[in-house]
Amino acid sequence: MKYLAAASTLAAIASARNCQQLAVPVHAAARNAVFDIPVPANNIETTNFILNLSQQGANYTESVLQGYQTVSGDYEIAAQYCEPDSGPSDTLQILTHGIGFDRTYWDSPFNNYNYSYVDEAVDEYGYSTFAWDRLGIGMSTPPNPDPLNEIQALLEVDALRALTEALRGGEVDGISSSFDKVVHIGHSFGSQHTYALTAMYPDISDGITLTGFSQNGSFAAFFLLGGNFVEANGNAAFSDLPDGYFAAGNPSGVQTNFFAPQDFDPAILTYAYNNGQPVTVGELLTFGGETGSPNPFAGPVHIVTGERDIPYCGGNCLAAPTGYDSVPATSQQFFENTDIDVTIIPGAGHGLNLQYTHPQTYSSILNWFADNGLAADGSSSGGSSSGGNNGKDGKGKGKGYKGKGKGKGRGQHGGWGKHHGPPA
């Protein structure tokens, strides 16, 4: 039976694509953590929470954890589905945004959609795309959300599972077909969700790209402190949200966490701040557990991270542990059944889609899928991925540094304690 969905066909933003805005009902359930803290109710309490969470040598999450409970519910997920004018592709890309954004991260209207990943994927490569607002964020926020014990990482991952199964099976009203292949692309916290999804359900995806990502949690405090988080409902745009939703306190916080020097238009920083989305106290307390376990996924894996990424590389992804070409390459040790490809975008920061270098990011992602048998028509292009000289030594020039992850042994993770990794 098809899911009921509210769908409205939009005028095509670009000549080669058709898009629909959807409201997709899903049932999601997860073993959520139960935390014994009061929800921060003002900016002083919010800052105290951030200081506790980022304290060196401490594990604040563990110290306030009281146990676990199953949380479940029927939720309505806001999403945008796009396909070429010629009709749906054989391969669907599911796009999951990170902290500070909603689904428009993948289809930003800034500068007449010049920064739109969806435009590139649909118009130039022929993919169908499905970008969704994470549960509790944007237009997927349920009535009366509990930002502490409900809107947590693993409940959002289960919403992604439900969406994926429905899309693969052709069960979303407003989308005319099922798909032969489904791939997942995440950014930051959305990459962590993608990692957790494939760790729990190794057969659910045909290939994954994790952007703005590593599994080194040493730099979590940079993001938490750099963002200057305040109570979101102090902003008129979020006045309906309860206490416990946090947002960046000023544009400088957004710049610190997402934009590398000399790689962004000052006007897009203003846009990112004015259109930014909040994060819940429950998300910040739980995201670290998503990426600390080995992943049995056996399909192709691609990590794309900016050289100057703050939350996952401390501002220098090429300052890697001995035996690795980059900080993200240390993720190889977590993938036991597949080799990973890593592309480092020179000079880029964490907010890859909003940087001047976004064309390099997009071509790297899209060519890599085609090279690995996951082109829009389900074939392999046989071409070469962008990524500098396509070099396996991790020293590529031009469009990116690209190399295979290698090496064994556990890398650092758990910037807030042994089980907790980086945010965003």
Side-chain angles (χ1 to χ4, degrees):
M1 182 179 69
K2 285 183 177 289
Y3 289 108
L4 296 177
S8 60
T9 302
L10 300 180
I13 294 169
S15 61
R17 76 180 201 178
N18 287 306
C19 294
Q20 298 182 77
Q21 304 303 314
L22 304 174
V24 185
V26 300
H27 181 81
R31 185 172 177 262
N32 271 15
V34 177
F35 295 110
D36 183 23
I37 60 169
V39 173
N42 56 54
N43 290 342
I44 290 176
E45 293 177 4
T46 295
T47 300
N48 286 339
F49 170 78
I50 295 296
L51 291 171
N52 285 331
L53 194 58
S54 61
Q55 185 180 22
Q56 180 182 355
N59 189 328
Y60 184 67
T61 296
E62 188 173 270
S63 71
V64 299
L65 178 66
Q66 296 298 297
Y68 296 91
Q69 64 181 356
T70 298
V71 174
S72 64
D74 295 313
Y75 301 99
E76 189 172 83
I77 300 298
Q80 175 181 271
Y81 169 74
C82 295
E83 65 182 31
D85 280 346
S86 57
S89 62
D90 293 328
T91 301
L92 174 70
Q93 296 189 354
I94 298 179
L95 312 174
T96 306
H97 66 88
I99 289 172
F101 301 100
D102 58 16
R103 67 186 185 274
T104 61
Y105 173 79
W106 303 103
D107 191 30
S108 169
F110 181 81
N111 193 17
N112 195 30
Y113 291 88
N114 184 59
Y115 290 78
S116 171
Y117 173 83
V118 171
D119 265 7
E120 187 79 5
V122 177
D123 294 358
E124 302 299 329
Y125 287 79
Y127 285 100
S128 297
T129 62
F130 182 91
W132 63 296
D133 286 352
R134 295 193 332 267
L135 179 60
I137 304 301
M139 296 180 69
S140 295
T141 302
N144 304 312
D146 176 354
L148 179 63
N149 290 318
E150 179 186 18
I151 308 301
Q152 297 182 3
L154 291 184
L155 189 64
E156 296 178 23
V157 172
D158 200 59
L160 178 56
R161 172 205 57 78
L163 287 169
T164 301
E165 292 175 351
L167 288 161
R168 189 182 283 277
E171 298 175 344
V172 175
D173 196 26
I175 299 178
S176 61
S177 69
S178 59
F179 298 90
D180 294 337
K181 295 181 180 179
V182 174
V183 301
H184 292 79
I185 305 172
H187 173 249
S188 195
F189 195 35
S191 291
Q192 294 189 185
H193 285 4
T194 299
Y195 182 96
L197 176 75
T198 53
M200 290 187 283
Y201 306 98
D203 298 324
I204 201 168
S205 185
D206 292 290
I208 61 175
T209 290
L210 310 172
T211 74
F213 179 83
S214 81
Q215 284 167 272
N216 188 322
S218 301
F219 315 109
F222 291 23
F223 180 87
L224 291 169
L225 298 172
N228 187 26
F229 289 104
V230 297
E231 282 288 322
N233 55 23
N235 184 318
F238 303 123
S239 59
D240 291 339
L241 291 177
D243 294 337
Y245 274 82
F246 309 142
N250 54 34
S252 293
V254 176
Q255 179 184 347
T256 297
N257 280 337
F258 295 103
F259 291 95
Q262 288 79 55
D263 195 35
F264 68 96
D265 181 342
I268 207 170
L269 172 60
T270 302
Y271 166 83
Y273 174 70
N274 289 340
N275 293 277
Q277 291 292 318
V279 59
T280 73
V281 59
E283 288 175 317
L284 291 179
L285 284 165
T286 59
F287 59 68
E290 291 185 284
T291 61
S293 300
N295 192 325
F297 182 66
V301 176
H302 189 202
I303 299 176
V304 181
T305 302
E307 180 186 4
R308 297 291 300 269
D309 188 287
I310 288 293
Y312 290 90
C313 293
N316 187 358
C317 282
L318 299 179
T322 300
Y324 294 95
D325 297 324
S326 67
V327 175
T330 63
S331 287
Q332 180 61 67
Q333 63 197 302
F334 292 90
F335 287 95
E336 301 175 340
N337 296 321
T338 189
D339 289 330
I340 69 173
D341 287 303
V342 176
T343 301
I344 303 301
I345 305 299
H350 185 54
L352 288 162
N353 287 16
L354 304 184
Q355 309 271 264
Y356 287 143
T357 47
H358 70 275
Q360 299 164 1
T361 298
Y362 298 169
S363 61
S364 173
I365 295 168
L366 292 160
N367 289 335
W368 179 86
F369 276 119
D371 289 347
N372 285 274
L374 295 167
D377 63 359
S379 67
S380 175
S381 71
S384 62
S385 295
S386 67
N389 60 2
N390 207 28
K392 302 304 181 183
D393 59 0
K395 299 178 181 178
K397 299 177 181 179
K399 289 190 175 181
Y401 305 109
K402 188 171 189 290
K404 289 286 187 181
K406 62 181 180 179
K408 297 294 182 182
R410 291 291 175 207
Q412 294 184 51
H413 63 96
W416 306 340
K418 63 182 179 179
H419 300 300
H420 304 286

